[in-house]
Amino acid sequence: MVMRDGGLLDVRPGADSGRAAPEHSGAYLAAGLALALYAGALLAWVVTGAVDARVSPLDFAEGLFNPLAGPVGALEPQEWALAVALAAVAGAALAQRTVARPAAVLLACLVLARSLREGVGLLHPGYRSAYRFEAMGGWTLATHVLGLLTGIVVLCVLLPARPEAHQGRDAGSWWQGRVSRICGVLFLLAGLFETAWMVRLLTAGAQGTGSYLAGAVDAAVSPSVDAPVAGVAFSALASLATWLIVGRLALSGRRDVRGALLVFAAVQLYLVVRTVVGYTVTGAFGAGTRTVEGTLDLACTAYLLAAMTSVLVLTTGRAFSPRRGSTHSWARTRPE
């Protein structure tokens, strides 16, 4: 409190609009604990696989970014990135940050889809029996069950915990929601490019579209009972769906999708950087421009690298504050 013209002027900071409402505190804590538990399970797989393979710390670090450095564990790069994303969002949810809600909902949907894919595979008797012959089969099944429970818990507790109205669709002009819409355009273009690229590969390749789609939704088509791996087809289709759905929401001017944009862009940027490192090591940049398919592949990779970097810069900037006149970050919100 300070004196102004003989009266009192309240200069105390207002409520932190980047923090969850008190009535939603329990929901954020439950979601954070569930995500942290599943993230810990995936990280345990990564560490256990590296130890069993006798991978040194330096080789492990190199293998995270160099596809030709050799295996670094039982899981794939998509699972490594998912584990880190789950841990980061779990920390934000435990800290009661509203930006964690859209990211947690997105990750819960992906984790739930992975577990349901395994459930479809378990409908086949031959696939079920394979779990009895693998040394890590029981742990793999337990991880998928944990993923199923995690997805259900997060969606059940966070979907009703809606943020305040000013954190949803922009109430102002089209220009005020420009950053969200720019990110939406970048996401939608990425989804369209990847869709066209996938269609080209399926129509020109030896693998039929039916078997590819079956492998994405049915774990028995491409068995992996020795580790909780979803496979390339599932990862590709899940990425396409995320780009198109989250991009459409962002294009409508919704600022409450910021966390989903931020987390998914970070995951995809890591995967693209790993691809670029592989191209650099193998000299694919020079050889790729000699064919139309190689040129398109390099162009798509370059676009993803630039687009995901742009989304990260935009979503961490001040223009994505939850309301006009405030600055929003993962850690705190302060009035300007």
Side-chain angles (χ1 to χ4, degrees):
M1 296 286 186
V2 298
M3 297 296 296
R4 180 177 179 180
D5 296 332
L8 292 176
L9 176 65
D10 191 352
V11 296
R12 292 175 299 179
D16 187 353
S17 56
R19 189 174 179 82
E23 60 268 23
H24 298 154
S25 177
Y28 277 74
L29 290 177
L33 291 174
L35 293 174
L37 185 60
Y38 189 66
L42 292 183
L43 291 174
W45 275 96
V46 175
V47 174
T48 302
V51 171
D52 292 342
R54 301 181 182 274
V55 178
S56 67
L58 290 179
D59 292 337
F60 178 82
E62 181 184 1
L64 291 178
F65 292 93
N66 183 4
L68 302 180
V72 297
L75 303 185
E76 299 295 332
Q78 290 80 6
E79 281 74 30
W80 309 338
L82 177 61
V84 175
L86 287 165
V89 175
L94 293 174
Q96 304 286 294
R97 308 312 299 178
T98 55
V99 72
R101 180 179 180 270
V105 170
L106 171 61
L107 293 178
C109 291
L110 294 176
V111 169
L112 187 60
R114 286 167 49 89
S115 299
L116 292 177
R117 174 182 178 271
E118 193 68 20
V120 173
L122 290 174
L123 297 177
H124 301 274
Y127 187 69
R128 290 198 304 269
S129 64
Y131 271 104
R132 296 195 296 267
F133 299 101
E134 289 289 343
M136 302 297 291
W139 290 108
T140 301
L141 184 59
T143 304
H144 286 300
V145 172
L146 179 61
L148 179 67
L149 296 176
T150 298
I152 293 174
V153 168
V154 172
L155 293 179
C156 288
V157 300
L158 282 188
L159 286 180
R162 297 183 180 277
E164 297 297 330
H166 63 72
Q167 293 179 351
R169 188 183 300 273
D170 242 1
S173 65
W174 192 96
W175 181 249
Q176 290 179 4
R178 64 192 181 280
V179 176
S180 175
R181 292 183 170 91
I182 291 172
C183 293
V185 170
L186 293 175
F187 260 51
L188 287 175
L189 288 177
L192 293 176
F193 290 158
E194 286 295 301
T195 300
W197 181 246
M198 180 181 296
V199 170
R200 176 180 174 84
L201 291 180
L202 290 177
T203 54
Q207 185 177 12
T209 304
S211 60
Y212 184 85
L213 295 177
V217 300
D218 188 352
V221 176
S222 54
S224 58
V225 297
D226 57 339
V229 178
V232 177
F234 173 85
S235 299
L237 291 179
S239 297
L240 288 181
T242 303
W243 273 318
L244 296 177
I245 295 174
V246 177
R248 177 63 184 87
L249 292 174
L251 188 63
S252 65
R254 297 183 63 96
R255 291 187 176 185
D256 56 356
V257 299
R258 177 192 179 219
L261 289 168
L262 179 61
V263 168
F264 192 71
V267 169
Q268 292 301 317
L269 182 60
Y270 162 72
L271 296 176
V272 173
V273 168
R274 194 170 187 272
T275 300
V276 171
V277 171
Y279 286 170
T280 304
V281 173
T282 59
F285 285 112
T289 56
R290 300 172 187 172
T291 62
V292 175
E293 185 171 315
T295 302
L296 292 176
D297 183 29
L298 294 179
C300 185
T301 301
Y303 172 78
L304 290 177
L305 184 64
M308 297 303 104
T309 302
S310 300
V311 171
L312 283 179
V313 173
L314 291 172
T315 51
T316 54
R318 299 176 67 183
F320 239 110
S321 59
R323 66 185 180 200
R324 195 175 182 181
S326 65
T327 301
H328 193 181
S329 67
W330 280 88
R332 60 191 293 268
T333 302
R334 65 178 185 276
E336 288 183 336

